[in-house]
Amino acid sequence: MLFEQVCIIGLGLIGASLAQAIKDRQLATRIVAVDRQPASVQAALDAQVIIAGSAKLADVVVDSDCIIVAVPVKAVTGVFTEIQQAITQGLVAEDCIISDVCSTKQNVVTAAKQVFGHLPSGLVPAHPIAGAEQSGFHSRRADLFVNHSLIICPLKTTRPQAVLQISDLWQAVGATIMKMDVAHHDAVLAYTSHLPHLLAFNLVEQLASHDDNMDIFRYAAGGFRDFTRIAASDPVMWHDIFIANKPALLNALDEYSEYLAKLRYLIKQEDSTQLLGLLGRAQSARKHFGHMLTSTPYTKQLTETSHTENSMAHSTHVSSTYIITPSRTINGTIEVPGDKSISHRSIMFGSLAEGITKVSGFLEGEDALATLQAFRDMGVTIEGPENGEVVIHGVGINGLKPSRTPLYMGNSGTTMRLLSGILAAQKFDSVLTGDASLSKRPMERVAKPLREMGATLQTTGERGTAPISITGSDKRGSQLHGITYEMPVASAQVKSCLLLAGLWATGKTTVIQPEVSRDHTERMLSAFGYEVQIEGNRISVEGGGKLTACDIAVPADISSAAFFMVAASIAQNSEITITKVGMNPTRTGIIDILQLMNADISLSNETFVGGEPVADITIRSAPLTGIHIPEHLVPLAIDEFPVLFVAASCAIGQTVLSGAKELRVKESDRIAVMADGLTQLGVNCTVTEDGIIIEGKGLAEQDDNATSALPAVFGGGEIYSHHDHRIAMSFAVASLRASDTITINGVETVNTSFPGFSELANKIGMTIATRTV
Ligand code: S3P
């Protein structure tokens, strides 16, 4: 029990739902209520929600230790006056908790000051962001507040204990507590609730006053209906709210008028670029605002609960699981999605170029979409993506605008690191944030050399991690300057970050890499007409140039193809052809390593697409053998190790990987997480500081084309992806040599790089069922 006796004043939808929820969850010994309507009081008594009720507070309030005011905003003063009288008469204690549910908060505080002469220590202004279309006692729902927000506005005068008790009460009925001050609450609600209602009422008024209004209403399509649904709400309630929140609402309305005038101007001028930019930004913001708020993936639909007079959209996290029944053989010709690294860069370079860049084969996965969204947030007009086609209206090297909100990079390390380089050189300030997994990854590896170039940026997370806060050159007063930087690790992300920053730096920026790493940045800079000097492992750019738009055809991602290359190798009697896969020599380490392991791989239709080599890859079952993986191949197959560990488990003999410490700072610690999963499925492996040793379970005498089944290598079991897409897909591949069902939890991140993975896998003979909760 949280309270002895709760007194609810007002048995409308919110008051009655709260009373019911308190009763069902046994949060108070007694509940009493006050309502002007005798019928509501009687109904509450009949339903045994309350033990006493009346139209007058003094009749029931005695001994209440919590009073909840659930009346319309305008009635609050009258209710406070009754409470004051009850205190004077000694019916309730002076420090009794008094809370409310009103949509505006300043008026509640003003009324309290006026009535009590001071702000009582028990006064806790609160506002549940929940409701329903219907009103009244009979519409009550005990679960009305579940998964909804409850805003508490503690006052300087409020007892901390009172805030705690009200928080506990709302949490116990399922709400999530948010705290903000009174002025902020009223400003936020003016934008998110009061302004939309005002506009809905106004549009109906506008259309209804046309002479031909019957025709307009008769033929009104979904747009009118959807936009004005909320204008069917109670006019008295909204009248009261608009007046109660007058200053904040007028501010919001003035700003709205400015936006409307701008939109009018763009239409009048037929300024298609700006108009498309505005509509595109709005569309993607509408689609993604819930994702940004809740850090959920971009490609997942949100579950929106009911909208109400005063509700904000509410969303829940999505979590998916693969349940994979073992299958033996796979066959077919497939196409995998576009290259992730090239997709990211196409948006970045296209945005900074002069002219229009058309991209085809763009990867519509979470990570690349995060990059696309970030550039939209910085004012770039981007059409699409639609069937892999994107059209970018470049703004030129100095045309980016500051984002109004922190830039959200989702799970994408590439976006965060490359954008850090671009943004460190801009005139304006920026903040970069990411999801839980990205927020654990090291960002000082880019921040440190950027500081050497004169940038001002902070990794504000706990250990050199995101959020990254960047101060623009306007405030700093100086441009970046070129440096020569010797990278401690062969990282394409660090290299690209510095080369990108170098575009705005004075003089020459040179990056020296210890080993070859992927060179898409260098290639794409050249394709956009920017000179890059490459001398062995030294790569340099001179600042001050410009980029000129060009079309980009993104090849299929060899990192995605890798899953099916290993799948076909370890499965029995299998043959898979993967078409038009990118064959950039800085990415083909997977082919070299698999060939060293005796895989049967052949290439055909070798050609060039948009400056990158591509080919069809055919791969057949083969008895793989364990090897010591040459260290120079590590950066060239850096993303493919999780699935290579699956290949190694099926090989004859031991496979040793060393010099691969970088794997520990990918989307997860890929050495530790893979070792856990492999052990779980019955494979022996030993983790080393910078690699792993895997005892392959392949048998020397096995013949992959034999009719008798190949022996299972993995048992069944339950695996956790640790928020890492490649871990999830690698263990899915393991099912081709598993004796039992493999369940993989947390596979929603597969969408970051490979939307449609399970569907494609099922098409060629695997059996992956996806369960989403
Ligand atoms: C990438 C570089 C690699 C890779 C990542 C994409 C890129 O990271 O793992 O998936 O697009 O530049 P590092 O450069 O940190 O090794």
Side-chain angles (χ1 to χ4, degrees), residues 295-300 317-322 365-367 411 435 720-726 728-729 744-757 770-773:
S295 304
T296 48
Y298 280 103
T299 49
K300 281 281 172 204
H317 284 269
V318 193
S319 163
S320 302
T321 300
Y322 285 159
E366 289 291 322
D367 281 12
N411 191 248
D435 71 3
Y720 291 87
S721 79
H722 291 257
H723 218 66
D724 187 332
H725 51 135
R726 301 203 195 274
M729 290 185 275
I744 307 170
N745 296 302
V747 301
E748 59 282 354
T749 49
V750 166
N751 273 329
T752 59
S753 67
F754 203 152
F757 167 75
T770 308
R771 195 180 58 207
T772 298
V773 287

mmCIF file of all heavy atoms in Angstrom, residues 295-300 317-322 365-367 411 435 720-726 728-729 744-757 770-773:
data_model
loop_
_atom_site.group_PDB
_atom_site.id
_atom_site.type_symbol
_atom_site.label_atom_id
_atom_site.label_comp_id
_atom_site.label_asym_id
_atom_site.label_seq_id
_atom_site.Cartn_x
_atom_site.Cartn_y
_atom_site.Cartn_z
ATOM 1 N N SER A 295 15.446 5.380 -29.553
ATOM 2 C CA SER A 295 16.619 4.636 -30.018
ATOM 3 C C SER A 295 16.245 3.280 -30.575
ATOM 4 O O SER A 295 16.953 2.305 -30.378
ATOM 5 C CB SER A 295 17.644 4.463 -28.890
ATOM 6 O OG SER A 295 17.992 5.704 -28.378
ATOM 7 N N THR A 296 15.119 3.193 -31.255
ATOM 8 C CA THR A 296 14.757 1.931 -31.907
ATOM 9 C C THR A 296 15.170 2.000 -33.370
ATOM 10 O O THR A 296 15.403 3.078 -33.891
ATOM 11 C CB THR A 296 13.246 1.659 -31.800
ATOM 12 O OG1 THR A 296 12.563 2.837 -32.184
ATOM 13 C CG2 THR A 296 12.859 1.250 -30.411
ATOM 14 N N PRO A 297 15.256 0.843 -34.059
ATOM 15 C CA PRO A 297 15.761 0.842 -35.424
ATOM 16 C C PRO A 297 14.909 1.669 -36.397
ATOM 17 O O PRO A 297 13.716 1.808 -36.207
ATOM 18 C CB PRO A 297 15.715 -0.634 -35.809
ATOM 19 C CG PRO A 297 15.611 -1.374 -34.548
ATOM 20 C CD PRO A 297 14.961 -0.484 -33.560
ATOM 21 N N TYR A 298 15.566 2.171 -37.458
ATOM 22 C CA TYR A 298 14.864 2.960 -38.465
ATOM 23 C C TYR A 298 13.904 2.133 -39.313
ATOM 24 O O TYR A 298 12.908 2.634 -39.784
ATOM 25 C CB TYR A 298 15.875 3.605 -39.422
ATOM 26 C CG TYR A 298 16.512 4.834 -38.863
ATOM 27 C CD1 TYR A 298 17.794 4.802 -38.358
ATOM 28 C CD2 TYR A 298 15.820 6.028 -38.844
ATOM 29 C CE1 TYR A 298 18.382 5.933 -37.840
ATOM 30 C CE2 TYR A 298 16.403 7.173 -38.332
ATOM 31 C CZ TYR A 298 17.687 7.117 -37.830
ATOM 32 O OH TYR A 298 18.264 8.243 -37.321
ATOM 33 N N THR A 299 14.246 0.876 -39.572
ATOM 34 C CA THR A 299 13.442 0.114 -40.524
ATOM 35 C C THR A 299 12.267 -0.608 -39.885
ATOM 36 O O THR A 299 11.472 -1.207 -40.565
ATOM 37 C CB THR A 299 14.302 -0.933 -41.269
ATOM 38 O OG1 THR A 299 15.045 -1.654 -40.299
ATOM 39 C CG2 THR A 299 15.232 -0.265 -42.238
ATOM 40 N N LYS A 300 12.161 -0.548 -38.556
ATOM 41 C CA LYS A 300 11.051 -1.233 -37.885
ATOM 42 C C LYS A 300 9.859 -0.310 -37.752
ATOM 43 O O LYS A 300 10.014 0.869 -37.478
ATOM 44 C CB LYS A 300 11.476 -1.663 -36.480
ATOM 45 C CG LYS A 300 12.315 -2.902 -36.481
ATOM 46 C CD LYS A 300 11.461 -4.122 -36.635
ATOM 47 C CE LYS A 300 12.350 -5.340 -36.842
ATOM 48 N NZ LYS A 300 11.708 -6.418 -37.525
ATOM 49 N N HIS A 317 10.001 -0.733 -27.774
ATOM 50 C CA HIS A 317 11.156 -1.352 -28.405
ATOM 51 C C HIS A 317 10.749 -2.637 -29.097
ATOM 52 O O HIS A 317 9.850 -3.325 -28.657
ATOM 53 C CB HIS A 317 12.217 -1.645 -27.353
ATOM 54 C CG HIS A 317 12.936 -0.408 -26.929
ATOM 55 N ND1 HIS A 317 14.077 0.023 -27.535
ATOM 56 C CD2 HIS A 317 12.629 0.501 -25.990
ATOM 57 C CE1 HIS A 317 14.470 1.141 -26.980
ATOM 58 N NE2 HIS A 317 13.600 1.454 -26.035
ATOM 59 N N VAL A 318 11.433 -2.927 -30.180
ATOM 60 C CA VAL A 318 11.121 -4.148 -30.917
ATOM 61 C C VAL A 318 12.277 -5.117 -30.688
ATOM 62 O O VAL A 318 13.423 -4.719 -30.711
ATOM 63 C CB VAL A 318 11.054 -3.846 -32.422
ATOM 64 C CG1 VAL A 318 10.428 -4.995 -33.166
ATOM 65 C CG2 VAL A 318 10.338 -2.557 -32.697
ATOM 66 N N SER A 319 11.952 -6.378 -30.456
ATOM 67 C CA SER A 319 13.009 -7.352 -30.293
ATOM 68 C C SER A 319 12.645 -8.594 -31.083
ATOM 69 O O SER A 319 11.520 -9.072 -31.010
ATOM 70 C CB SER A 319 13.162 -7.654 -28.806
ATOM 71 O OG SER A 319 13.884 -8.833 -28.658
ATOM 72 N N SER A 320 13.584 -9.107 -31.877
ATOM 73 C CA SER A 320 13.290 -10.259 -32.732
ATOM 74 C C SER A 320 14.228 -11.418 -32.432
ATOM 75 O O SER A 320 15.365 -11.210 -31.993
ATOM 76 C CB SER A 320 13.442 -9.888 -34.203
ATOM 77 O OG SER A 320 12.597 -8.837 -34.518
ATOM 78 N N THR A 321 13.711 -12.597 -32.697
ATOM 79 C CA THR A 321 14.467 -13.829 -32.464
ATOM 80 C C THR A 321 14.385 -14.695 -33.717
ATOM 81 O O THR A 321 13.336 -14.760 -34.351
ATOM 82 C CB THR A 321 13.823 -14.590 -31.286
ATOM 83 O OG1 THR A 321 13.879 -13.748 -30.136
ATOM 84 C CG2 THR A 321 14.529 -15.887 -30.973
ATOM 85 N N TYR A 322 15.492 -15.328 -34.087
ATOM 86 C CA TYR A 322 15.442 -16.356 -35.153
ATOM 87 C C TYR A 322 15.321 -17.717 -34.475
ATOM 88 O O TYR A 322 16.059 -18.007 -33.520
ATOM 89 C CB TYR A 322 16.750 -16.397 -35.950
ATOM 90 C CG TYR A 322 16.980 -15.291 -36.937
ATOM 91 C CD1 TYR A 322 18.293 -15.012 -37.349
ATOM 92 C CD2 TYR A 322 15.939 -14.557 -37.491
ATOM 93 C CE1 TYR A 322 18.555 -14.010 -38.273
ATOM 94 C CE2 TYR A 322 16.196 -13.557 -38.418
ATOM 95 C CZ TYR A 322 17.501 -13.290 -38.801
ATOM 96 O OH TYR A 322 17.770 -12.308 -39.707
ATOM 97 N N GLY A 365 19.481 -0.228 -45.433
ATOM 98 C CA GLY A 365 19.625 -0.808 -44.090
ATOM 99 C C GLY A 365 19.755 0.326 -43.077
ATOM 100 O O GLY A 365 20.057 1.468 -43.446
ATOM 101 N N GLU A 366 19.570 -0.047 -41.826
ATOM 102 C CA GLU A 366 19.589 0.931 -40.732
ATOM 103 C C GLU A 366 20.778 1.888 -40.771
ATOM 104 O O GLU A 366 20.618 3.082 -40.599
ATOM 105 C CB GLU A 366 19.707 0.182 -39.415
ATOM 106 C CG GLU A 366 18.504 -0.577 -39.015
ATOM 107 C CD GLU A 366 17.405 0.348 -38.648
ATOM 108 O OE1 GLU A 366 17.693 1.378 -38.036
ATOM 109 O OE2 GLU A 366 16.268 0.060 -39.010
ATOM 110 N N ASP A 367 21.993 1.327 -40.964
ATOM 111 C CA ASP A 367 23.193 2.153 -40.821
ATOM 112 C C ASP A 367 23.252 3.230 -41.891
ATOM 113 O O ASP A 367 23.491 4.405 -41.606
ATOM 114 C CB ASP A 367 24.450 1.268 -40.894
ATOM 115 C CG ASP A 367 24.715 0.557 -39.585
ATOM 116 O OD1 ASP A 367 23.813 0.573 -38.716
ATOM 117 O OD2 ASP A 367 25.805 -0.016 -39.431
ATOM 118 N N ASN A 411 23.129 2.563 -34.838
ATOM 119 C CA ASN A 411 24.143 1.563 -34.501
ATOM 120 C C ASN A 411 25.442 1.778 -35.298
ATOM 121 O O ASN A 411 26.379 1.014 -35.195
ATOM 122 C CB ASN A 411 23.527 0.183 -34.834
ATOM 123 C CG ASN A 411 24.329 -0.978 -34.297
ATOM 124 O OD1 ASN A 411 24.914 -1.740 -35.068
ATOM 125 N ND2 ASN A 411 24.380 -1.111 -32.992
ATOM 126 N N ASP A 435 22.986 4.524 -30.521
ATOM 127 C CA ASP A 435 22.272 3.597 -29.649
ATOM 128 C C ASP A 435 23.219 3.044 -28.573
ATOM 129 O O ASP A 435 24.393 3.423 -28.515
ATOM 130 C CB ASP A 435 21.585 2.487 -30.466
ATOM 131 C CG ASP A 435 22.569 1.490 -31.060
ATOM 132 O OD1 ASP A 435 23.790 1.609 -30.809
ATOM 133 O OD2 ASP A 435 22.127 0.578 -31.765
ATOM 134 N N TYR A 720 22.901 -15.327 -27.947
ATOM 135 C CA TYR A 720 22.564 -13.895 -27.838
ATOM 136 C C TYR A 720 23.446 -13.096 -28.792
ATOM 137 O O TYR A 720 24.663 -13.287 -28.806
ATOM 138 C CB TYR A 720 22.738 -13.419 -26.389
ATOM 139 C CG TYR A 720 21.687 -14.044 -25.503
ATOM 140 C CD1 TYR A 720 21.906 -15.297 -24.918
ATOM 141 C CD2 TYR A 720 20.460 -13.429 -25.339
ATOM 142 C CE1 TYR A 720 20.918 -15.905 -24.154
ATOM 143 C CE2 TYR A 720 19.473 -14.027 -24.574
ATOM 144 C CZ TYR A 720 19.707 -15.262 -23.989
ATOM 145 O OH TYR A 720 18.726 -15.854 -23.260
ATOM 146 N N SER A 721 22.820 -12.233 -29.586
ATOM 147 C CA SER A 721 23.596 -11.516 -30.608
ATOM 148 C C SER A 721 24.406 -10.363 -30.038
ATOM 149 O O SER A 721 25.263 -9.823 -30.710
ATOM 150 C CB SER A 721 22.660 -10.967 -31.674
ATOM 151 O OG SER A 721 22.036 -9.785 -31.196
ATOM 152 N N HIS A 722 24.105 -9.953 -28.826
ATOM 153 C CA HIS A 722 24.780 -8.788 -28.222
ATOM 154 C C HIS A 722 24.674 -7.571 -29.116
ATOM 155 O O HIS A 722 25.645 -6.840 -29.314
ATOM 156 C CB HIS A 722 26.232 -9.103 -27.868
ATOM 157 C CG HIS A 722 26.352 -10.074 -26.732
ATOM 158 N ND1 HIS A 722 26.676 -9.680 -25.460
ATOM 159 C CD2 HIS A 722 26.129 -11.399 -26.672
ATOM 160 C CE1 HIS A 722 26.660 -10.743 -24.671
ATOM 161 N NE2 HIS A 722 26.324 -11.794 -25.391
ATOM 162 N N HIS A 723 23.518 -7.392 -29.684
ATOM 163 C CA HIS A 723 23.230 -6.202 -30.493
ATOM 164 C C HIS A 723 24.155 -6.110 -31.708
ATOM 165 O O HIS A 723 24.508 -5.024 -32.152
ATOM 166 C CB HIS A 723 23.385 -4.950 -29.614
ATOM 167 C CG HIS A 723 22.353 -3.916 -29.932
ATOM 168 N ND1 HIS A 723 21.024 -4.115 -29.703
ATOM 169 C CD2 HIS A 723 22.451 -2.686 -30.482
ATOM 170 C CE1 HIS A 723 20.361 -3.040 -30.096
ATOM 171 N NE2 HIS A 723 21.195 -2.167 -30.581
ATOM 172 N N ASP A 724 24.574 -7.264 -32.215
ATOM 173 C CA ASP A 724 25.539 -7.264 -33.321
ATOM 174 C C ASP A 724 24.968 -8.091 -34.476
ATOM 175 O O ASP A 724 24.811 -9.310 -34.382
ATOM 176 C CB ASP A 724 26.870 -7.858 -32.810
ATOM 177 C CG ASP A 724 27.972 -7.737 -33.836
ATOM 178 O OD1 ASP A 724 27.679 -7.716 -35.049
ATOM 179 O OD2 ASP A 724 29.155 -7.684 -33.424
ATOM 180 N N HIS A 725 24.705 -7.406 -35.577
ATOM 181 C CA HIS A 725 24.093 -8.050 -36.744
ATOM 182 C C HIS A 725 24.899 -9.230 -37.264
ATOM 183 O O HIS A 725 24.345 -10.269 -37.627
ATOM 184 C CB HIS A 725 23.890 -7.016 -37.860
ATOM 185 C CG HIS A 725 25.105 -6.198 -38.205
ATOM 186 N ND1 HIS A 725 25.498 -5.950 -39.483
ATOM 187 C CD2 HIS A 725 26.045 -5.583 -37.432
ATOM 188 C CE1 HIS A 725 26.589 -5.186 -39.493
ATOM 189 N NE2 HIS A 725 26.933 -4.960 -38.240
ATOM 190 N N ARG A 726 26.231 -9.076 -37.292
ATOM 191 C CA ARG A 726 27.037 -10.148 -37.908
ATOM 192 C C ARG A 726 27.121 -11.391 -37.014
ATOM 193 O O ARG A 726 27.291 -12.502 -37.498
ATOM 194 C CB ARG A 726 28.426 -9.624 -38.269
ATOM 195 C CG ARG A 726 28.344 -8.443 -39.237
ATOM 196 C CD ARG A 726 29.595 -8.222 -40.048
ATOM 197 N NE ARG A 726 29.557 -6.892 -40.656
ATOM 198 C CZ ARG A 726 28.969 -6.611 -41.821
ATOM 199 N NH1 ARG A 726 28.379 -7.561 -42.523
ATOM 200 N NH2 ARG A 726 28.974 -5.389 -42.294
ATOM 201 N N ALA A 728 24.552 -12.416 -35.247
ATOM 202 C CA ALA A 728 23.264 -13.074 -35.485
ATOM 203 C C ALA A 728 23.302 -13.876 -36.780
ATOM 204 O O ALA A 728 22.922 -15.059 -36.819
ATOM 205 C CB ALA A 728 22.158 -12.020 -35.539
ATOM 206 N N MET A 729 23.789 -13.265 -37.855
ATOM 207 C CA MET A 729 23.777 -13.965 -39.149
ATOM 208 C C MET A 729 24.764 -15.132 -39.174
ATOM 209 O O MET A 729 24.511 -16.157 -39.799
ATOM 210 C CB MET A 729 24.063 -12.966 -40.273
ATOM 211 C CG MET A 729 22.901 -11.997 -40.482
ATOM 212 S SD MET A 729 23.115 -10.897 -41.897
ATOM 213 C CE MET A 729 24.071 -9.575 -41.163
ATOM 214 N N ILE A 744 18.342 -17.646 -31.911
ATOM 215 C CA ILE A 744 19.241 -16.486 -31.805
ATOM 216 C C ILE A 744 18.422 -15.273 -31.375
ATOM 217 O O ILE A 744 17.514 -14.848 -32.080
ATOM 218 C CB ILE A 744 19.953 -16.204 -33.143
ATOM 219 C CG1 ILE A 744 20.635 -17.474 -33.647
ATOM 220 C CG2 ILE A 744 20.959 -15.080 -32.980
ATOM 221 C CD1 ILE A 744 21.156 -17.387 -35.060
ATOM 222 N N ASN A 745 18.741 -14.764 -30.208
ATOM 223 C CA ASN A 745 17.996 -13.615 -29.666
ATOM 224 C C ASN A 745 18.632 -12.296 -30.073
ATOM 225 O O ASN A 745 19.848 -12.191 -30.145
ATOM 226 C CB ASN A 745 17.975 -13.694 -28.143
ATOM 227 C CG ASN A 745 17.220 -14.916 -27.672
ATOM 228 O OD1 ASN A 745 16.056 -15.089 -27.999
ATOM 229 N ND2 ASN A 745 17.907 -15.786 -26.951
ATOM 230 N N GLY A 746 17.783 -11.320 -30.313
ATOM 231 C CA GLY A 746 18.275 -9.964 -30.615
ATOM 232 C C GLY A 746 18.725 -9.824 -32.058
ATOM 233 O O GLY A 746 19.773 -9.267 -32.335
ATOM 234 N N VAL A 747 17.910 -10.336 -33.006
ATOM 235 C CA VAL A 747 18.330 -10.301 -34.409
ATOM 236 C C VAL A 747 17.807 -9.067 -35.148
ATOM 237 O O VAL A 747 18.009 -8.933 -36.349
ATOM 238 C CB VAL A 747 17.904 -11.584 -35.161
ATOM 239 C CG1 VAL A 747 18.501 -12.798 -34.513
ATOM 240 C CG2 VAL A 747 16.388 -11.705 -35.233
ATOM 241 N N GLU A 748 17.138 -8.159 -34.419
ATOM 242 C CA GLU A 748 16.618 -6.976 -35.105
ATOM 243 C C GLU A 748 17.734 -6.143 -35.730
ATOM 244 O O GLU A 748 17.522 -5.454 -36.722
ATOM 245 C CB GLU A 748 15.758 -6.111 -34.169
ATOM 246 C CG GLU A 748 16.417 -5.586 -32.915
ATOM 247 C CD GLU A 748 16.541 -6.639 -31.811
ATOM 248 O OE1 GLU A 748 16.008 -7.753 -31.977
ATOM 249 O OE2 GLU A 748 17.191 -6.346 -30.806
ATOM 250 N N THR A 749 18.960 -6.281 -35.197
ATOM 251 C CA THR A 749 20.065 -5.492 -35.747
ATOM 252 C C THR A 749 20.518 -5.999 -37.123
ATOM 253 O O THR A 749 21.308 -5.332 -37.780
ATOM 254 C CB THR A 749 21.284 -5.514 -34.807
ATOM 255 O OG1 THR A 749 21.534 -6.863 -34.469
ATOM 256 C CG2 THR A 749 21.060 -4.687 -33.566
ATOM 257 N N VAL A 750 20.033 -7.180 -37.545
ATOM 258 C CA VAL A 750 20.373 -7.658 -38.892
ATOM 259 C C VAL A 750 20.011 -6.585 -39.922
ATOM 260 O O VAL A 750 20.681 -6.406 -40.944
ATOM 261 C CB VAL A 750 19.648 -8.999 -39.181
ATOM 262 C CG1 VAL A 750 19.697 -9.362 -40.651
ATOM 263 C CG2 VAL A 750 20.275 -10.108 -38.331
ATOM 264 N N ASN A 751 18.975 -5.823 -39.616
ATOM 265 C CA ASN A 751 18.543 -4.758 -40.522
ATOM 266 C C ASN A 751 19.568 -3.657 -40.711
ATOM 267 O O ASN A 751 19.424 -2.823 -41.593
ATOM 268 C CB ASN A 751 17.261 -4.100 -39.982
ATOM 269 C CG ASN A 751 16.043 -4.842 -40.459
ATOM 270 O OD1 ASN A 751 16.055 -5.412 -41.544
ATOM 271 N ND2 ASN A 751 14.998 -4.833 -39.664
ATOM 272 N N THR A 752 20.578 -3.591 -39.855
ATOM 273 C CA THR A 752 21.567 -2.527 -40.040
ATOM 274 C C THR A 752 22.319 -2.708 -41.349
ATOM 275 O O THR A 752 22.665 -1.743 -41.995
ATOM 276 C CB THR A 752 22.587 -2.456 -38.879
ATOM 277 O OG1 THR A 752 23.261 -3.710 -38.801
ATOM 278 C CG2 THR A 752 21.929 -2.152 -37.559
ATOM 279 N N SER A 753 22.582 -3.976 -41.707
ATOM 280 C CA SER A 753 23.388 -4.197 -42.916
ATOM 281 C C SER A 753 22.721 -5.094 -43.940
ATOM 282 O O SER A 753 23.087 -5.083 -45.105
ATOM 283 C CB SER A 753 24.730 -4.826 -42.529
ATOM 284 O OG SER A 753 24.536 -6.140 -42.035
ATOM 285 N N PHE A 754 21.755 -5.919 -43.516
ATOM 286 C CA PHE A 754 21.236 -6.926 -44.441
ATOM 287 C C PHE A 754 19.732 -7.108 -44.278
ATOM 288 O O PHE A 754 19.257 -8.165 -43.855
ATOM 289 C CB PHE A 754 21.958 -8.256 -44.195
ATOM 290 C CG PHE A 754 21.942 -9.209 -45.359
ATOM 291 C CD1 PHE A 754 22.963 -10.129 -45.517
ATOM 292 C CD2 PHE A 754 20.912 -9.202 -46.296
ATOM 293 C CE1 PHE A 754 22.981 -11.026 -46.577
ATOM 294 C CE2 PHE A 754 20.899 -10.083 -47.362
ATOM 295 C CZ PHE A 754 21.942 -10.999 -47.503
ATOM 296 N N PRO A 755 18.945 -6.072 -44.672
ATOM 297 C CA PRO A 755 17.494 -6.273 -44.620
ATOM 298 C C PRO A 755 17.115 -7.405 -45.576
ATOM 299 O O PRO A 755 17.670 -7.502 -46.666
ATOM 300 C CB PRO A 755 16.922 -4.922 -45.103
ATOM 301 C CG PRO A 755 18.064 -4.100 -45.561
ATOM 302 C CD PRO A 755 19.343 -4.751 -45.171
ATOM 303 N N GLY A 756 16.243 -8.283 -45.145
ATOM 304 C CA GLY A 756 15.807 -9.394 -46.009
ATOM 305 C C GLY A 756 16.697 -10.612 -45.908
ATOM 306 O O GLY A 756 16.583 -11.548 -46.703
ATOM 307 N N PHE A 757 17.596 -10.659 -44.931
ATOM 308 C CA PHE A 757 18.532 -11.793 -44.811
ATOM 309 C C PHE A 757 17.800 -13.133 -44.658
ATOM 310 O O PHE A 757 18.070 -14.089 -45.382
ATOM 311 C CB PHE A 757 19.471 -11.573 -43.617
ATOM 312 C CG PHE A 757 20.253 -12.804 -43.233
ATOM 313 C CD1 PHE A 757 21.324 -13.223 -43.996
ATOM 314 C CD2 PHE A 757 19.890 -13.563 -42.120
ATOM 315 C CE1 PHE A 757 22.036 -14.368 -43.668
ATOM 316 C CE2 PHE A 757 20.599 -14.709 -41.780
ATOM 317 C CZ PHE A 757 21.674 -15.118 -42.554
ATOM 318 N N THR A 770 11.112 -16.170 -37.876
ATOM 319 C CA THR A 770 11.415 -14.967 -37.083
ATOM 320 C C THR A 770 10.256 -14.679 -36.159
ATOM 321 O O THR A 770 9.102 -14.657 -36.586
ATOM 322 C CB THR A 770 11.637 -13.748 -38.011
ATOM 323 O OG1 THR A 770 12.606 -14.109 -38.981
ATOM 324 C CG2 THR A 770 12.119 -12.532 -37.225
ATOM 325 N N ARG A 771 10.573 -14.479 -34.871
ATOM 326 C CA ARG A 771 9.524 -14.114 -33.921
ATOM 327 C C ARG A 771 9.836 -12.714 -33.393
ATOM 328 O O ARG A 771 10.959 -12.437 -32.972
ATOM 329 C CB ARG A 771 9.523 -15.116 -32.764
ATOM 330 C CG ARG A 771 8.256 -15.044 -31.918
ATOM 331 C CD ARG A 771 8.308 -16.040 -30.798
ATOM 332 N NE ARG A 771 9.477 -15.809 -29.957
ATOM 333 C CZ ARG A 771 10.082 -16.746 -29.248
ATOM 334 N NH1 ARG A 771 9.680 -17.980 -29.292
ATOM 335 N NH2 ARG A 771 11.116 -16.446 -28.477
ATOM 336 N N THR A 772 8.858 -11.833 -33.494
ATOM 337 C CA THR A 772 9.067 -10.456 -33.052
ATOM 338 C C THR A 772 8.148 -10.139 -31.885
ATOM 339 O O THR A 772 6.955 -10.440 -31.948
ATOM 340 C CB THR A 772 8.814 -9.482 -34.210
ATOM 341 O OG1 THR A 772 9.755 -9.776 -35.239
ATOM 342 C CG2 THR A 772 9.008 -8.042 -33.788
ATOM 343 N N VAL A 773 8.719 -9.564 -30.835
ATOM 344 C CA VAL A 773 7.866 -9.154 -29.705
ATOM 345 C C VAL A 773 8.018 -7.667 -29.482
ATOM 346 O O VAL A 773 9.034 -7.080 -29.797
ATOM 347 C CB VAL A 773 8.206 -9.906 -28.408
ATOM 348 C CG1 VAL A 773 7.743 -11.336 -28.476
ATOM 349 C CG2 VAL A 773 9.687 -9.843 -28.097
#
